[in-house]
Amino acid sequence: MSTKVCVLGAGGRMGQSVIRAVSERDDATLVGAVDRLAGPALGKDCGRLLGLDAMGITVADSLDAAITAGVVVIDFSAPDALISALPAVQATGAALVTGTTGLSPEQLTRLEAAAADVPILRADNFSVGVVLMRLLARRAAELLGASADVEIIEAHHRRKVDAPSGTALAVGHSVAAGLGVELDANADWSRHGQVGARGTGRIGFSVIRGGDIVGEHTALFAMDGERLEITHRATDRMIFARGAVRAAAWLAEQSPGFYTLEDMLS
Ligand code: NAD
């Protein structure tokens, strides 16, 4: 059966990659595309947006006309756009795959509540390599404990608006779980000026922004006389797009509930 996909944030870097990823698969069909009212993509054919033949799907400014039950919305937009889309998703009984990062705790709670009505899968990073990186970082933290100082370093392109990245936060949560602590109570989000010596058990974050870097993450375990680095480098955002479309095909078969990539892969 073909998965019917509607893309939210269709004019963006990831939205366009998702449209391309849908067009690569025989078992997925693009049925809708949505972007913001004043956006440059509005009214354009999705194929033309990518420099391909016309696909017959025009970018609209609202989900209302684009979704019905059985459609999976794939969202890579912005936190406010995601939250605004939830009533339409819930009302129609569509499913939702979302990769938008930078949600506030309240927005995350709202998203999780919507999963009582419809299937929702959220991932800060849709690459299989990052799922593995989180498992390895958690295990390293379990084994090394307080003997290692953990720093998480991430780099992204100049236009990324949230920091640290959702993936860096997810890796941080994995390390915290390995250490048996809460991330928020143990994170050093940034350092500037006379900050004093590093505290034992802290989880430090460093953020780099520049150029067209797709996404790089390192979990650094610094010990006396040696250090271990677990690094993931994304060189093509199509890995995220293909992962999201694969997740949409899986989610279309699921009951209402809140799912992660680990649920899909297990
Ligand atoms: P982008 O700025 O290129 O694209 C975002 C798109 O959303 C734009 O076209 C914008 O016009 C649209 N948009 C904004 N507000 C909207 C609204 N109210 N209604 C409809 N459309 C709206 O950004 P991007 O690089 O494509 O990233 C988008 C999101 O995906 C970010 O949160 C980013 O961190 C996240 N991301 C996640 C993953 C992952 O694997 N989970 C990978 C890459 C990026």
Side-chain angles (χ1 to χ4, degrees):
M1 199 181 70
S2 188
T3 308
K4 291 189 262 178
V5 173
C6 175
V7 180
L8 177 59
R13 282 173 292 262
M14 278 306 304
Q16 293 186 36
S17 300
V18 171
I19 293 168
R20 194 178 293 278
V22 170
S23 73
E24 286 175 354
R25 288 179 66 135
D26 294 335
D27 60 351
T29 311
L30 187 70
V31 298
V34 174
D35 208 283
R36 69 194 151 86
L37 195 52
L42 199 65
K44 296 206 173 125
D45 181 274
C46 288
R48 298 283 184 222
L49 211 55
L50 304 182
L52 304 173
D53 291 342
M55 291 179 176
I57 302 291
T58 305
V59 179
D61 64 0
S62 153
L63 273 181
D64 295 342
I67 60 172
T68 54
V71 169
V72 185
V73 176
I74 300 185
D75 158 65
F76 287 92
S77 59
D80 288 349
L82 165 61
I83 298 304
S84 304
L86 291 177
V89 173
Q90 287 171 275
T92 51
L96 172 67
V97 169
T98 176
T100 295
T101 62
L103 273 64
S104 68
E106 295 74 27
Q107 288 172 323
L108 193 53
T109 302
R110 170 73 183 89
L111 182 67
E112 286 170 354
D117 298 328
V118 290
I120 296 179
L121 185 148
R122 174 173 184 271
D124 287 309
N125 193 305
F126 278 94
S127 86
V128 172
V130 164
V131 174
L132 191 55
M133 178 186 179
R134 291 186 61 186
L135 289 173
L136 293 173
R138 179 181 174 138
R139 187 74 182 124
E142 272 168 8
L143 293 172
L144 295 171
S147 69
D149 295 326
V150 188
E151 295 285 315
I152 295 166
I153 304 140
E154 63 103 329
H156 281 87
H157 54 88
R158 64 169 76 89
R159 293 174 63 193
K160 184 164 178 64
V161 293
D162 54 315
S165 69
T167 304
L169 294 175
V171 173
H173 280 292
S174 299
V175 168
L179 294 173
V181 300
E182 287 296 321
L183 178 62
D184 284 337
N186 291 277
D188 286 334
W189 299 115
S190 64
R191 302 182 182 103
H192 179 236
Q194 296 294 317
V195 295
R198 192 185 197 288
T200 304
R202 305 301 294 175
I203 302 171
F205 286 80
S206 300
V207 172
I208 296 163
R209 290 288 175 269
D212 62 354
I213 303 169
V214 173
E216 301 187 359
H217 296 86
T218 293
L220 165 66
F221 295 81
M223 296 160 275
D224 291 334
E226 61 178 328
R227 60 181 191 263
L228 168 68
E229 296 177 24
I230 303 170
T231 295
H232 180 269
R233 290 196 179 91
T235 53
D236 183 351
R237 53 177 57 83
M238 281 302 290
I239 57 164
F240 309 130
R242 292 189 185 112
V245 176
R246 179 178 165 192
W250 179 82
L251 195 66
E253 306 294 321
Q254 308 306 314
S255 309
F258 196 75
Y259 301 95
T260 65
L261 217 47
E262 285 77 2
D263 295 319
M264 181 185 88
L265 295 171
S266 62

